[in-house]
Structure formats: structure tokens, C-alpha cells
Amino acid sequence: MNKEKRTAIIAGNWKMNKTASEAKELIESLIPLVKDAGCTVIIGVPFTDIAVAVDLTKGTNIHVAAQNVHFKDSGAYTGEISPRMLTEAGVEYVIIGHSERRQYFGETDETVNLRARAALAAGLKPIICVGESLEQREAGVTEEFVCRQVVMALLNMTAEDLANVVIAYEPIWAIGTGKTATKEQAEEVCAFIRKVVEENYSKAVADALTIQYGGSMNAGNAADLLSMEDIDGGLIGGASLKPNDFAVIVGAASK
Ligand code: 13P
């Protein structure tokens, strides 16, 4: 983490967990635990929890993210949610292209780019997820694969757009498996992503970009991962559902 150059961001990705009443309970526990955070704190909640999350976090330092967004403004897209629906609901961030969406719901590099650009146009800040599978890592194509994901996700975005973009490096083999990447493995790819952004934009844009690590980050390993120069925060799954654990991670990013 290099706090002189960029903002540290800890974001919870609740995935498909917590009903609205359960969300209320979790958020009420979390608010006092993270109120003195020295980093940006985000909770990425299911659509049905957005209203309660926005309401409860008003006047606190917790920001609300959605977990997906469609790229059209409105129309015959049954089951989808538009960028304006999210902004009007008080959402500030949106997770885009999570590997679970790519794997189970047909998300592609092209739709990730469309969603991220639509989000930006509406004033939302996209948290764009990239990351390789175990097969790709073992085949030695991690950098090639992640490079393509990053370049495709950022296609037709300006340097100004990039100021509102967060990238989350989430190796698929580390998600929900308890098998965290080592801090060296995570740093290597986060630094590589920054290099890709520098080559496509500029050193200034790359230096200012927040790049998170995600994949079994928890209260026990967060400080170690966040000690690395290019790991500017975390996208947290399982541990974000436990207020005390999430608060420890926020604390580690606040130092
Ligand atoms: P876990 O922290 O549960 O491994 O999930 C990571 C993740 O996918 C966050 O988006």
C-alpha cells in the first residue's frame, strides 16, 4: 500500500448473502467498529439490501456498492438494474466482472467494459475484477490473461475516467478456498496491472490507481498483504460478513 500516492480501499463483497433484515443487523454492528477508519470503507450488498444499506450508512464513513449493473439506461431487459436506478438509490460504487459473474452468468470482457463505461457515465465508480484460474497460473499465462482482461475492461476510457476506477485482482483459485495468494504472488500481479495501465495511459494515472487484492483475505493475513507497495486494499468475500473480522481488515488498511 502506498498511501502517499493513492487511497486505500477495503470493500466487502457480500455476494448472495443477507436478507434486508440480516443486512440491517450486520451494518449496525459494523458502523461503530469502522467509524475511525483511515481508509475508504465500502460494503457491496445484494440489490434487495441497497435501500437499507444506504439508509443506515447515511452520515457514516461507509459507502455502498452494488454487485452488478446493466449497460443500458432503461428498456426491455428483464431482471436487470440500470446505472441510474443505482445512483438514485444512493449507491456510489459497483462491482463489475467478478469471476463468479464471468463463470456462471456469461459475463465477458466486452460486457465488463460496457458495464464499467455505463457506470462511469452515470457517476458510479466501478470496481473491476480480473484474475486468472489455477489452470492459467499453472500454464504460465497469468500475465498474458490478466493483461487482456485489464486492457479490454478499460477500452475507450479516458485518463479522467481512470480516476474513478478501482481494479481488483482476484485470482480465481484463491476465492472462497482459504488458499490466499502469498503477498509476493499478489504483489507481482498488482504491480503488473499497474504497469499495463502505465503503458496504456501514463505513470501519473497508474500511480493514482487503487488496485485491490481479493481472494481469502481475512483478519489474519490482511496486514501482510497490505504491506506490499502495489496492494492498495482488499475486496473481501467471506470475512466481510463478520463485522469484527472486516473491522480488523479495515484497521490493517488504516495504518
Ligand atoms: P473470499 O474472500 O470469500 O475468498 O471472496 C473473495 C471475493 O470473491 C471477493 O469479491
Side-chain angles (χ1 to χ4, degrees), residues 13 15 98 100 170 174-177 214-217 235-239:
N13 175 7
K15 308 192 180 184
H98 191 279
E100 286 148 17
E170 299 207 303
I175 295 176
T177 57
S216 300
M217 197 190 243
L235 186 54
I236 322 295

Side-chain angles (χ1 to χ4, degrees), residues 177-240:
T177 57
K179 196 176 166 221
T180 322
T182 63
K183 61 180 179 189
E184 291 82 13
Q185 285 173 322
E187 167 64 17
E188 189 179 22
V189 183
C190 290
F192 172 74
I193 291 169
R194 200 177 306 286
K195 198 180 91 196
V196 170
V197 172
E198 180 177 340
E199 283 164 1
N200 283 270
Y201 291 87
S202 68
K203 179 151 170 40
V205 168
D207 273 352
L209 178 70
T210 295
I211 303 177
Q212 301 174 310
Y213 167 78
S216 300
M217 197 190 243
N218 58 40
N221 60 28
D224 209 27
L225 287 156
L226 294 168
S227 71
M228 305 306 277
E229 167 78 15
D230 291 288
I231 303 177
D232 309 314
L235 186 54
I236 322 295
S240 72

Side-chain angles (χ1 to χ4, degrees), residues 94 96-97 102 112 116 126-130 153-154 157 165-169:
V94 57
I96 292 176
R102 295 180 192 254
V112 167
I127 300 173
I128 300 171
C129 304
V130 299
L154 303 183
M157 284 186 197
V165 168
V166 175
I167 293 185
Y169 167 57

Side-chain angles (χ1 to χ4, degrees), residues 9-29:
I9 302 180
I10 298 297
N13 175 7
W14 290 9
K15 308 192 180 184
M16 195 176 74
N17 292 293
K18 304 292 173 187
T19 65
S21 61
E22 291 164 348
K24 180 172 186 290
E25 206 175 307
L26 204 172
I27 294 165
E28 281 172 347
S29 314

